[in-house]
Amino acid sequence: MAMWFARSRNLVSILRQNLGLSATLIKRNHSSPRPVFTNYQLSSRVFLDPSTSFRHESTAVETQPDLVQQSDHEDDAQELDFPGGKVGYTSEMKFIPESSSRRIPCYRVLNEHGKIISDSDFIPVSEKLAVRMYEQMATLQVMDHIFYEAQRQGRISFYLTSVGEEAINIASAAALSPEDVVLPQYREPGVLLWRGFTLEEFANQCFGNKADYGKGRQMPIHYGSNQHNYFTVSSPIATQLPQAAGVGYALKMEKKNACAVTFIGDGGTSEGDFHAGLNFAAVMEAPVVFICRNNGWAISTHISEQFRSDGIVVKGQAYGIRSIRVDGNDALAVYSAVRSAREMAVTEQRPVLIEAMTYRVGHHSTSDDSTKYREADEIQYWKMSRNPVNRFKKWVEDNGWWSEEDESKLRSSTRKQLLQAIQAAEKWEKQPLTELFNDVYDVKTKNLEEQEVGLKALVEKQPQDYPTGFHI
Amino acid sequence: MWGILRRSAVDGGGFSASSLRRTRSALVSARSYASGSKEMTVRDALNSAIDEEMSADPKVFVMGEEVGQYQGAYKITKGLLEKYGPERVYDTPITEAGFTGIGVGAAYAGLKPVVEFMTFNFSMQAIDHIINSAAKSNYMSAGQINVPIVFRGPNGAAAGVGAQHSQCYAAWYASVPGLKVLAPYSAEDARGLLKAAIRDPDPVVFLENELLYGESFPISEEALDSSFCLPIGKAKIEREGKDVTITTFSKMVGFALKAAEKLAEEGISAEVINLRSIRPLDRATINASVRKTSRLVTVEEGFPQHGVCAEICASVVEESFSYLDAPVERIAGADVPMPYAANLERLALPQVEDIVRAAKRACYRSK
């Protein structure tokens, strides 16, 4: 499938325009032009994608004019030598402001009515891909709804929804290749869904039954599947970030045509591991795509209490990492951004940061009631007017690729399949007792063998102390 | 033919290799080491073990602060950068949490990292990755994600380095299922156990000792072979005896052997067990020994509460109670953060005399 940036503007004219702009910036107060940061030169790089052998244009990397003010002094033409390279100096004492006068703009393609904004850059999506993306987004919605209800009915102990973040989940997954290794946080089951994890497999994990690939070892929603290159969800926040850098390093060493992709929320960026992971990935030049789902809330902590920076995208530059802010509720924008980031990560062997702006419509989890700390009106607004699934649906429908009939068929059949999956998963027997002692180590140690023998003997001797149907 | 044990005198005070003391211990040499006149320092033993494992398996790589260009903070990774290049001997930024996390991620993806902590005291900044990710992943993922990683570095007290550089973490790590915890003493231990650790598919915490790095031990031809490996989970009887069992690990093994010499002069035959493996703990060997001698003295450098010694005492009392002729004796470090001043440091750590006294108490030979 041919891919190129759909542009209604001429590329050359953009280049000329932008180069002209940066030249103006650099020349502004100087007798001799000198770039402030040598890395931050505007370039539109054309490179060959080995996998498709089509030419791509990379996303333009822009200067940030507000960041450092130039001064008038002639001394500035000279430079000082320090470890780390040459740096110009200024006699004017000027602090870099704590925030830019303008927030980093958000990349979007579809407006709220599902219409493509004129002059958008984006990677076109075929009917087949678009329909699949929409179907999966709707499936994720139904899955979340039904599993949430199942928890409320006491059938599973815990659940965590991705309501409001369906576009991030599905569009990012669609933009990756199956060899890319995913290290999730916990609000990305859509990525696993896209890769082929079945509704039955999701149900089995939530019920921790014998068919669960996790053998009943983990709480619900802690899915994992080697087959789908999706590492098991780990509860401590942000540990997956330096681990993703390590996976990226392994892929780099083995020269694989793949990258590591890892997700984090806005709250998770406060962890020390965020700093360590990004810093390290940059130094190691590891192929990692960091996707931050900035959904405004970390349980009850609003982002205004989480950080004072302009979100997360501005932190990328601090680590020497290329970054972009994208409208996370716009499936086409997310698709294009992740697709481009992935190509950059693999072909240029570098990390990339994507901040996807969105809103957490659901509660943090089934253990949370978010109406206690935020307005019900706010939740309603995002649920109805800023719904990513509806927005994408409008675009797909406008193209004539989806109908109301398709919609009701999909929703009812998915619902039915899920209810059946839950019923089946609930009835399926649980793991045998022997699974308690397996996998602590590769090979069971002697003391574990002894404990297993002892426990088996005890269960046989005192069956009345154990539930009926409990088997060894 | 008998290896001559050459040891630098290790006093509680300043670390100096200036005073050498020759001890010829024929009985010890015959029982403990195969005949051979070669000697090797623990440092060289560790270096050769890493070198050989890196040579044998391209997935093995080393990571840590100062391991490459600087040749290793304690020169354990000397020469490896030149031999294997910067991709496989990776100098990390100063972030234990970062490079431990990266090591775990690389292990998830199939590589075999050997992560060096400048001292295990600094591993505290990375302990979540070690415990919640490395130790538990295989279990939580039901075998889908195994973590063939080794965390190594100096552990326990050195000399005059104060509280934040002297803690022993054996008990901390050994309490966690999913980890294996090893503590070598001699050069042979160092080689055999490190090679076993690198080859093991489970995460291993490898506790070295800074003061042992410079010590030389006789080493057999067998131990010098590149395929040499010691079993994990097996203790070693360094010296056989019949009156009292002394169990310990790492540097304290040397102290226990000296104590055994002193006790022998007074007619008490002590059996010294070098644990080698803290998790899994070789309860079988320890209990078999206690059933033979009827008395236990267990020694460690670390803090007393919830220590390795506490676990050994519990195991012996549970399994060999009717064989005991005396209450179990436990020698550990003082229950204080390690002081810096040389005289205070000496008081805060077990000394040979403490072990001798405890053994005598167990034998009802002292007040």
Side-chain angles (χ1 to χ4, degrees):
Chain A
M1 181 167 92
M3 282 160 297
W4 58 89
F5 279 111
R7 286 173 180 266
S8 50
R9 292 180 297 180
N10 183 288
L11 172 66
V12 174
S13 70
I14 298 164
L15 262 171
R16 221 177 266 149
Q17 194 181 329
N18 286 339
L19 276 169
L21 178 64
S22 76
T24 309
L25 283 168
I26 290 163
K27 281 195 161 100
R28 195 163 60 195
N29 289 318
H30 283 277
S31 46
S32 53
R34 176 182 51 81
V36 179
F37 302 107
T38 50
N39 287 339
Y40 289 93
Q41 286 157 12
L42 185 63
S43 63
S44 182
R45 305 224 290 258
V46 179
F47 57 91
L48 221 56
D49 178 329
S51 61
T52 64
S53 76
F54 280 99
R55 286 156 69 90
H56 287 266
E57 279 120 19
S58 75
T59 312
V61 179
E62 295 185 25
T63 53
Q64 302 206 37
D66 289 341
L67 208 55
V68 172
Q69 305 299 318
Q70 317 280 3
S71 91
D72 281 331
H73 291 217
E74 277 178 14
D75 294 332
D76 302 337
Q78 298 183 38
E79 290 175 329
L80 292 174
D81 232 323
F82 276 116
K86 292 197 189 300
V87 61
Y89 62 87
T90 171
S91 306
E92 191 185 346
M93 182 180 72
K94 199 142 192 176
F95 285 73
I96 299 171
E98 68 278 11
S99 61
S100 195
S101 54
R102 185 176 91 122
R103 289 193 67 181
I104 302 293
C106 190
Y107 166 61
R108 80 170 4 192
V109 173
L110 285 176
N111 67 17
E112 288 304 333
H113 307 290
K115 302 263 186 277
I116 293 187
I117 299 167
S118 61
D119 300 343
S120 296
D121 305 336
F122 70 102
I123 301 172
V125 165
S126 69
E127 175 183 347
K128 187 159 164 234
L129 183 60
V131 168
R132 179 153 194 252
M133 278 169 67
Y134 177 72
E135 281 177 338
Q136 296 264 296
M137 284 166 74
T139 303
L140 179 57
Q141 273 189 327
V142 179
M143 184 174 103
D144 270 348
H145 176 73
I146 295 199
F147 277 129
Y148 187 88
E149 291 303 313
Q151 193 279 340
R152 282 285 176 258
Q153 292 164 13
R155 294 161 90 181
I156 52 177
S157 65
F158 176 83
Y159 192 71
L160 193 154
T161 65
S162 310
V163 181
E165 301 183 47
E166 295 87 355
I168 296 176
N169 265 254
I170 301 298
S172 65
L176 300 172
S177 92
E179 289 74 44
D180 295 329
V181 180
V182 175
L183 289 92
Q185 184 171 316
Y186 47 61
R187 221 179 283 280
E188 304 91 18
V191 177
L192 194 52
L193 182 68
W194 179 269
R195 287 184 166 193
F197 214 59
T198 65
L199 298 174
E200 290 74 24
E201 286 168 329
F202 280 111
N204 289 334
Q205 197 285 327
C206 288
F207 281 91
N209 61 27
K210 201 167 176 190
D212 167 29
Y213 299 143
K215 294 190 196 165
R217 302 269 172 71
Q218 285 255 55
M219 287 170 70
I221 72 100
H222 286 67
Y223 316 110
S225 174
N226 265 5
Q227 192 197 345
H228 300 99
N229 276 326
Y230 188 95
F231 279 141
T232 308
V233 172
S234 174
S235 303
I237 300 289
T239 53
Q240 68 275 14
L241 299 178
Q243 289 167 9
V247 171
Y249 190 71
L251 294 171
K252 183 186 170 91
M253 271 185 61
E254 296 181 330
K255 301 193 171 26
K256 296 236 169 94
N257 180 4
C259 65
V261 180
T262 184
F263 293 84
I264 186 74
D266 43 282
T269 65
S270 295
E271 283 278 1
D273 273 345
F274 173 79
H275 166 76
L278 266 68
N279 187 43
F280 235 117
V283 170
M284 291 199 306
E285 295 174 7
V288 187
V289 178
F290 293 98
I291 302 178
C292 175
R293 293 176 295 95
N294 183 348
N295 64 18
W297 292 93
I299 310 189
S300 68
T301 306
H302 186 252
I303 43 175
S304 58
E305 293 168 330
Q306 196 70 251
F307 42 68
R308 285 299 155 89
S309 54
D310 171 18
I312 286 94
V313 66
V314 292
K315 298 184 184 186
Q317 192 175 72
Y319 295 108
I321 293 179
R322 202 171 285 172
S323 8
I324 189 170
R325 167 172 278 161
V326 76
D327 178 350
N329 287 1
D330 178 346
L332 289 183
V334 172
Y335 179 81
S336 289
V338 174
R339 187 77 197 258
S340 308
R342 191 253 172 213
E343 296 305 324
M344 270 184 236
V346 176
T347 54
E348 296 178 54
Q349 294 287 293
R350 57 161 67 243
V352 183
L353 172 67
I354 298 176
E355 180 184 17
M357 311 295 281
T358 182
Y359 187 84
R360 193 197 78 208
V361 171
H363 306 303
H364 165 72
S365 72
T366 49
S367 311
D368 175 47
D369 174 9
S370 60
T371 58
K372 293 221 153 57
Y373 51 80
R374 57 184 186 177
E375 297 295 327
D377 291 344
E378 181 186 303
I379 306 171
Q380 265 308 95
Y381 166 71
W382 282 91
K383 190 172 178 176
M384 306 312 287
S385 322
R386 303 288 293 273
N387 187 313
V389 183
N390 291 348
R391 194 160 148 203
F392 191 60
K393 182 180 169 195
K394 285 187 196 129
W395 182 71
V396 177
E397 279 177 338
D398 284 349
N399 282 329
W401 297 339
W402 192 255
S403 69
E404 272 313 309
E405 201 195 318
D406 294 324
E407 179 78 13
S408 52
K409 249 173 62 182
L410 174 73
R411 292 209 178 242
S412 66
S413 75
T414 307
R415 191 186 152 79
K416 192 159 156 228
Q417 198 186 340
L418 273 160
L419 290 171
Q420 282 172 346
I422 288 177
Q423 272 190 326
E426 207 167 20
K427 288 208 190 76
W428 211 313
E429 57 181 0
K430 297 281 192 270
Q431 299 289 338
L433 187 154
T434 41
E435 283 304 335
L436 183 65
F437 301 102
N438 284 342
D439 306 317
V440 180
Y441 297 104
D442 191 54
V443 172
K444 238 181 284 185
T445 52
K446 206 149 141 286
N447 68 319
L448 286 175
E449 282 173 349
E450 287 165 14
Q451 289 173 30
E452 188 178 348
V453 166
L455 185 56
K456 274 185 187 170
L458 185 63
V459 171
E460 270 161 17
K461 195 169 155 194
Q462 316 273 18
Q464 71 281 1
D465 289 344
Y466 297 90
T468 47
F470 185 78
H471 57 278
I472 299 165
Chain B
M1 189 165 89
W2 302 119
I4 295 175
L5 267 70
R6 221 187 304 132
R7 294 201 186 139
S8 47
V10 176
D11 302 315
F15 174 48
S16 87
S18 56
S19 49
L20 297 169
R21 203 178 65 218
R22 284 169 190 259
T23 313
R24 198 179 308 132
S25 174
L27 199 64
V28 177
S29 304
R31 289 276 165 77
S32 311
Y33 310 111
S35 61
S37 52
K38 285 206 82 171
E39 285 210 347
M40 196 178 222
T41 59
V42 170
R43 175 180 287 115
D44 290 340
L46 295 167
N47 182 275
S48 62
I50 301 173
D51 193 347
E52 285 162 23
E53 293 305 305
M54 284 182 79
S55 174
D57 186 347
K59 290 191 186 299
V60 178
F61 75 102
V62 171
M63 190 161 54
E65 292 155 6
E66 312 299 327
V67 295
Q69 200 88 17
Y70 194 76
Q71 308 294 315
Y74 296 101
K75 306 292 179 265
I76 306 298
T77 50
K78 187 169 177 198
L80 296 180
L81 175 65
E82 288 73 43
K83 203 167 168 186
Y84 298 102
E87 265 195 355
R88 292 182 71 194
V89 182
Y90 193 81
D91 274 326
T92 66
I94 306 179
T95 161
E96 279 72 14
F99 64 72
T100 307
I102 283 166
V104 171
Y108 284 171
L111 294 183
K112 294 188 181 175
V114 177
V115 176
E116 174 173 310
F117 290 115
M118 207 176 277
T119 130
F120 266 94
N121 293 270
F122 304 156
S123 73
M124 295 295 97
Q125 296 179 285
I127 199 167
D128 178 82
H129 281 291
I130 301 173
I131 310 274
N132 276 329
S133 293
K136 299 178 186 173
S137 279
N138 198 50
Y139 191 73
M140 292 193 307
S141 72
Q144 289 187 80
I145 303 175
N146 76 314
V147 192
I149 194 170
V150 176
F151 302 105
R152 52 159 291 273
N155 175 61
V161 288
Q164 295 170 326
H165 294 75
S166 306
Q167 188 166 338
C168 173
Y169 288 90
W172 283 48
Y173 290 117
S175 70
V176 181
L179 287 180
K180 291 182 175 162
V181 180
L182 303 176
Y185 163 63
S186 63
E188 182 178 310
D189 285 357
R191 263 183 68 80
L193 293 175
L194 187 53
K195 280 154 121 8
I198 294 173
R199 294 178 201 175
D200 198 294
D202 296 312
V204 181
V205 172
F206 194 81
L207 305 171
E208 300 160 5
N209 186 291
E210 190 201 317
L211 298 177
L212 284 177
Y213 285 151
E215 277 203 31
S216 270
F217 293 85
I219 193 143
S220 64
E221 280 307 314
E222 189 201 342
L224 287 169
D225 187 71
S226 64
S227 63
F228 179 64
C229 203
L230 284 173
I232 292 178
K234 216 68 201 82
K236 181 184 180 193
I237 299 179
E238 293 283 349
R239 179 190 174 115
E240 282 189 18
K242 56 178 183 56
D243 294 329
V244 59
T245 299
I246 305 178
T247 69
T248 186
F249 60 96
S250 190
K251 187 154 130 285
M252 290 289 129
V253 175
F255 282 34
L257 288 169
K258 286 187 202 144
E261 292 276 314
K262 290 215 164 114
L263 289 164
E265 287 162 21
E266 302 194 37
I268 297 176
S269 154
E271 178 149 291
V272 176
I273 300 183
N274 170 7
L275 293 173
R276 280 181 167 176
S277 178
I278 316 295
R279 178 183 263 269
L281 194 59
D282 190 353
R283 291 165 219 272
T285 300
I286 298 167
N287 278 283
S289 173
V290 171
R291 288 176 186 211
K292 186 173 74 169
T293 64
S294 311
R295 295 158 215 281
L296 174 73
V297 172
T298 173
V299 185
E300 73 182 307
E301 223 183 53
F303 299 135
Q305 190 165 341
H306 310 298
V308 176
C309 292
E311 176 62 31
I312 294 175
C313 288
S315 172
V316 164
V317 165
E318 281 166 3
E319 293 178 44
S320 311
F321 181 68
S322 51
Y323 292 82
L324 285 170
D325 283 349
V328 293
E329 289 280 344
R330 187 167 56 142
I331 306 284
D335 201 20
V336 302
M338 185 66 69
Y340 164 75
N343 60 329
L344 296 179
E345 188 178 35
R346 195 181 187 285
L347 287 170
L349 287 168
Q351 303 299 332
V352 175
E353 303 76 55
D354 298 312
I355 304 174
V356 170
R357 267 197 297 272
K360 282 179 169 174
R361 270 197 308 270
C363 296
Y364 300 135
R365 295 283 198 90
S366 64
K367 334 150 190 80

